[in-house]
Amino acid sequence: MIIKKLDQQLNMICSLLNELKIEYCIDSGTLLGLIREQKLLSHDLDIDISIHESQEIKIKELMFHLEKDGYKCRILSFYGKKYKYKFWISTEKRVIDINIFRETPDKKFYVCPQPFPITKAENFIFKNFRKLIRVSFGFMKSIGSEFDLNNFPWRIGTYHRTWKIPKEYFSSYELLNNDIYMPTNATKYLEFRYGNWKVPNSNWNFRTDDKGLSEKSPDVFKCF
């Protein structure tokens, strides 16, 4: 596949992951954009990357390189187990999200927590609650970079659902282009997540339409 225009930030993070021999794949909206449109989606402000738990030990070195280049980092954990590293820098509009997936005991799925605000309706309260969370994170980052959202005060307004991905997609990765890796059977994986992924859907809602998102709490899967 020929990528129309390789995003500089995406190229940077994938090259660094390859250099550090961190096994990964692009995921979610990043994968969808590159497969369907051969570029990142203009409205998607995350670069989505997934790794297995076994690769987490190498993240410290990745953090060292990114922080040396001016990136800041925020880590989310579920009862002490890290599941998301967020890297951002003021000169880029996109945040790099690295999600850590763990294999379920029955070896059929890979799962990763996903935080949600308790307010479900996307109304005035929902939007302003999200703003409050972002401001709070900005204030708290001076105290530390790791947040367990099950602890006070985050648990007041946050709960977790779980990405639950069949093992067939995440058991191995395939080369997409320019040293960028994607899940095995990427088009089938996109169909699993998005349904008719070939047709842009402006009404698609991650909270309600992502078929890879289970309503169950991560602890149900006995990986956390």
Side-chain angles (χ1 to χ4, degrees), residues 153-169:
W154 315 113
R155 67 186 182 198
I156 294 174
T158 307
Y159 75 105
H160 283 88
R161 293 176 64 183
T162 310
W163 268 317
K164 179 184 176 185
I165 308 300
K167 187 175 180 178
E168 63 180 290
Y169 302 123

mmCIF file of all heavy atoms in Angstrom, residues 153-169:
data_model
loop_
_atom_site.group_PDB
_atom_site.id
_atom_site.type_symbol
_atom_site.label_atom_id
_atom_site.label_comp_id
_atom_site.label_asym_id
_atom_site.label_seq_id
_atom_site.Cartn_x
_atom_site.Cartn_y
_atom_site.Cartn_z
ATOM 1 N N PRO A 153 -9.377 11.603 43.518
ATOM 2 C CA PRO A 153 -10.765 11.991 43.268
ATOM 3 C C PRO A 153 -11.320 11.522 41.930
ATOM 4 O O PRO A 153 -12.471 11.755 41.608
ATOM 5 C CB PRO A 153 -10.664 13.513 43.271
ATOM 6 C CG PRO A 153 -9.324 13.774 42.650
ATOM 7 C CD PRO A 153 -8.424 12.667 43.136
ATOM 8 N N TRP A 154 -10.476 10.818 41.106
ATOM 9 C CA TRP A 154 -10.883 10.478 39.745
ATOM 10 C C TRP A 154 -12.081 9.546 39.710
ATOM 11 O O TRP A 154 -12.922 9.631 38.810
ATOM 12 C CB TRP A 154 -9.709 9.847 38.994
ATOM 13 C CG TRP A 154 -8.432 10.583 39.209
ATOM 14 C CD1 TRP A 154 -7.328 10.135 39.881
ATOM 15 C CD2 TRP A 154 -8.125 11.917 38.805
ATOM 16 N NE1 TRP A 154 -6.357 11.098 39.909
ATOM 17 C CE2 TRP A 154 -6.817 12.212 39.258
ATOM 18 C CE3 TRP A 154 -8.832 12.884 38.105
ATOM 19 C CZ2 TRP A 154 -6.209 13.430 39.023
ATOM 20 C CZ3 TRP A 154 -8.221 14.101 37.873
ATOM 21 C CH2 TRP A 154 -6.935 14.375 38.326
ATOM 22 N N ARG A 155 -12.184 8.655 40.711
ATOM 23 C CA ARG A 155 -13.268 7.667 40.691
ATOM 24 C C ARG A 155 -14.648 8.299 40.850
ATOM 25 O O ARG A 155 -15.668 7.675 40.550
ATOM 26 C CB ARG A 155 -13.046 6.635 41.793
ATOM 27 C CG ARG A 155 -13.185 7.189 43.212
ATOM 28 C CD ARG A 155 -12.805 6.172 44.243
ATOM 29 N NE ARG A 155 -12.974 6.677 45.598
ATOM 30 C CZ ARG A 155 -12.411 6.137 46.667
ATOM 31 N NH1 ARG A 155 -11.640 5.071 46.529
ATOM 32 N NH2 ARG A 155 -12.611 6.655 47.867
ATOM 33 N N ILE A 156 -14.689 9.539 41.319
ATOM 34 C CA ILE A 156 -15.980 10.221 41.474
ATOM 35 C C ILE A 156 -16.668 10.382 40.120
ATOM 36 O O ILE A 156 -17.886 10.246 40.009
ATOM 37 C CB ILE A 156 -15.783 11.613 42.125
ATOM 38 C CG1 ILE A 156 -15.267 11.450 43.562
ATOM 39 C CG2 ILE A 156 -17.092 12.409 42.111
ATOM 40 C CD1 ILE A 156 -14.923 12.772 44.217
ATOM 41 N N GLY A 157 -15.873 10.666 39.099
ATOM 42 C CA GLY A 157 -16.481 10.938 37.799
ATOM 43 C C GLY A 157 -16.052 10.016 36.684
ATOM 44 O O GLY A 157 -16.349 10.280 35.522
ATOM 45 N N THR A 158 -15.356 8.910 37.016
ATOM 46 C CA THR A 158 -14.808 8.042 35.973
ATOM 47 C C THR A 158 -15.110 6.578 36.258
ATOM 48 O O THR A 158 -15.082 6.142 37.407
ATOM 49 C CB THR A 158 -13.266 8.211 35.881
ATOM 50 O OG1 THR A 158 -12.951 9.593 35.731
ATOM 51 C CG2 THR A 158 -12.707 7.443 34.697
ATOM 52 N N TYR A 159 -15.409 5.836 35.207
ATOM 53 C CA TYR A 159 -15.503 4.383 35.308
ATOM 54 C C TYR A 159 -14.782 3.789 34.102
ATOM 55 O O TYR A 159 -14.363 4.511 33.194
ATOM 56 C CB TYR A 159 -16.959 3.918 35.351
ATOM 57 C CG TYR A 159 -17.693 3.970 34.029
ATOM 58 C CD1 TYR A 159 -17.953 2.812 33.308
ATOM 59 C CD2 TYR A 159 -18.148 5.192 33.505
ATOM 60 C CE1 TYR A 159 -18.630 2.857 32.091
ATOM 61 C CE2 TYR A 159 -18.827 5.249 32.295
ATOM 62 C CZ TYR A 159 -19.059 4.077 31.597
ATOM 63 O OH TYR A 159 -19.721 4.134 30.397
ATOM 64 N N HIS A 160 -14.575 2.470 34.104
ATOM 65 C CA HIS A 160 -13.835 1.829 33.026
ATOM 66 C C HIS A 160 -14.694 0.815 32.273
ATOM 67 O O HIS A 160 -15.424 0.030 32.885
ATOM 68 C CB HIS A 160 -12.606 1.089 33.568
ATOM 69 C CG HIS A 160 -11.463 1.983 33.919
ATOM 70 N ND1 HIS A 160 -11.332 2.568 35.149
ATOM 71 C CD2 HIS A 160 -10.381 2.400 33.185
ATOM 72 C CE1 HIS A 160 -10.231 3.302 35.180
ATOM 73 N NE2 HIS A 160 -9.635 3.212 34.003
ATOM 74 N N ARG A 161 -14.554 0.851 30.960
ATOM 75 C CA ARG A 161 -14.976 -0.243 30.108
ATOM 76 C C ARG A 161 -13.713 -0.907 29.578
ATOM 77 O O ARG A 161 -12.609 -0.557 29.998
ATOM 78 C CB ARG A 161 -15.881 0.278 28.977
ATOM 79 C CG ARG A 161 -17.228 0.802 29.500
ATOM 80 C CD ARG A 161 -18.064 1.408 28.396
ATOM 81 N NE ARG A 161 -18.425 0.405 27.396
ATOM 82 C CZ ARG A 161 -19.102 0.686 26.284
ATOM 83 N NH1 ARG A 161 -19.480 1.936 26.028
ATOM 84 N NH2 ARG A 161 -19.408 -0.249 25.423
ATOM 85 N N THR A 162 -13.865 -1.874 28.659
ATOM 86 C CA THR A 162 -12.693 -2.649 28.256
ATOM 87 C C THR A 162 -12.689 -2.915 26.763
ATOM 88 O O THR A 162 -13.678 -3.391 26.206
ATOM 89 C CB THR A 162 -12.671 -4.021 28.986
ATOM 90 O OG1 THR A 162 -12.863 -3.811 30.383
ATOM 91 C CG2 THR A 162 -11.355 -4.725 28.753
ATOM 92 N N TRP A 163 -11.569 -2.597 26.122
ATOM 93 C CA TRP A 163 -11.370 -3.096 24.766
ATOM 94 C C TRP A 163 -11.146 -4.605 24.855
ATOM 95 O O TRP A 163 -10.276 -5.064 25.605
ATOM 96 C CB TRP A 163 -10.157 -2.449 24.119
ATOM 97 C CG TRP A 163 -10.455 -1.218 23.333
ATOM 98 C CD1 TRP A 163 -11.492 -1.024 22.470
ATOM 99 C CD2 TRP A 163 -9.693 -0.008 23.325
ATOM 100 N NE1 TRP A 163 -11.428 0.232 21.916
ATOM 101 C CE2 TRP A 163 -10.337 0.871 22.427
ATOM 102 C CE3 TRP A 163 -8.530 0.398 23.974
ATOM 103 C CZ2 TRP A 163 -9.858 2.148 22.167
ATOM 104 C CZ3 TRP A 163 -8.050 1.663 23.724
ATOM 105 C CH2 TRP A 163 -8.709 2.530 22.830
ATOM 106 N N LYS A 164 -11.904 -5.364 24.106
ATOM 107 C CA LYS A 164 -11.820 -6.827 24.107
ATOM 108 C C LYS A 164 -11.636 -7.269 22.653
ATOM 109 O O LYS A 164 -12.581 -7.332 21.880
ATOM 110 C CB LYS A 164 -13.095 -7.426 24.707
ATOM 111 C CG LYS A 164 -13.124 -8.951 24.744
ATOM 112 C CD LYS A 164 -14.482 -9.432 25.267
ATOM 113 C CE LYS A 164 -14.594 -10.945 25.217
ATOM 114 N NZ LYS A 164 -15.948 -11.407 25.602
ATOM 115 N N ILE A 165 -10.394 -7.588 22.304
ATOM 116 C CA ILE A 165 -10.044 -7.864 20.916
ATOM 117 C C ILE A 165 -9.703 -9.345 20.737
ATOM 118 O O ILE A 165 -8.843 -9.868 21.449
ATOM 119 C CB ILE A 165 -8.831 -7.017 20.472
ATOM 120 C CG1 ILE A 165 -9.067 -5.529 20.789
ATOM 121 C CG2 ILE A 165 -8.541 -7.237 19.001
ATOM 122 C CD1 ILE A 165 -10.274 -4.921 20.118
ATOM 123 N N PRO A 166 -10.383 -10.041 19.814
ATOM 124 C CA PRO A 166 -10.049 -11.456 19.568
ATOM 125 C C PRO A 166 -8.571 -11.637 19.254
ATOM 126 O O PRO A 166 -7.960 -10.825 18.548
ATOM 127 C CB PRO A 166 -10.921 -11.811 18.353
ATOM 128 C CG PRO A 166 -12.094 -10.883 18.457
ATOM 129 C CD PRO A 166 -11.520 -9.590 18.981
ATOM 130 N N LYS A 167 -8.002 -12.699 19.776
ATOM 131 C CA LYS A 167 -6.561 -12.932 19.678
ATOM 132 C C LYS A 167 -6.081 -12.997 18.232
ATOM 133 O O LYS A 167 -4.937 -12.659 17.933
ATOM 134 C CB LYS A 167 -6.211 -14.226 20.414
ATOM 135 C CG LYS A 167 -4.727 -14.476 20.532
ATOM 136 C CD LYS A 167 -4.429 -15.706 21.376
ATOM 137 C CE LYS A 167 -2.925 -15.939 21.479
ATOM 138 N NZ LYS A 167 -2.614 -17.107 22.336
ATOM 139 N N GLU A 168 -6.945 -13.411 17.306
ATOM 140 C CA GLU A 168 -6.528 -13.570 15.912
ATOM 141 C C GLU A 168 -5.993 -12.267 15.314
ATOM 142 O O GLU A 168 -5.182 -12.285 14.392
ATOM 143 C CB GLU A 168 -7.689 -14.073 15.061
ATOM 144 C CG GLU A 168 -8.864 -13.108 14.982
ATOM 145 C CD GLU A 168 -9.998 -13.636 14.116
ATOM 146 O OE1 GLU A 168 -9.813 -13.714 12.885
ATOM 147 O OE2 GLU A 168 -11.053 -13.978 14.677
ATOM 148 N N TYR A 169 -6.413 -11.122 15.841
ATOM 149 C CA TYR A 169 -5.972 -9.837 15.294
ATOM 150 C C TYR A 169 -4.685 -9.339 15.935
ATOM 151 O O TYR A 169 -3.905 -8.628 15.290
ATOM 152 C CB TYR A 169 -7.070 -8.786 15.470
ATOM 153 C CG TYR A 169 -8.373 -9.167 14.822
ATOM 154 C CD1 TYR A 169 -9.542 -9.245 15.565
ATOM 155 C CD2 TYR A 169 -8.432 -9.475 13.464
ATOM 156 C CE1 TYR A 169 -10.752 -9.607 14.973
ATOM 157 C CE2 TYR A 169 -9.626 -9.833 12.867
ATOM 158 C CZ TYR A 169 -10.782 -9.903 13.629
ATOM 159 O OH TYR A 169 -11.969 -10.261 13.045
#
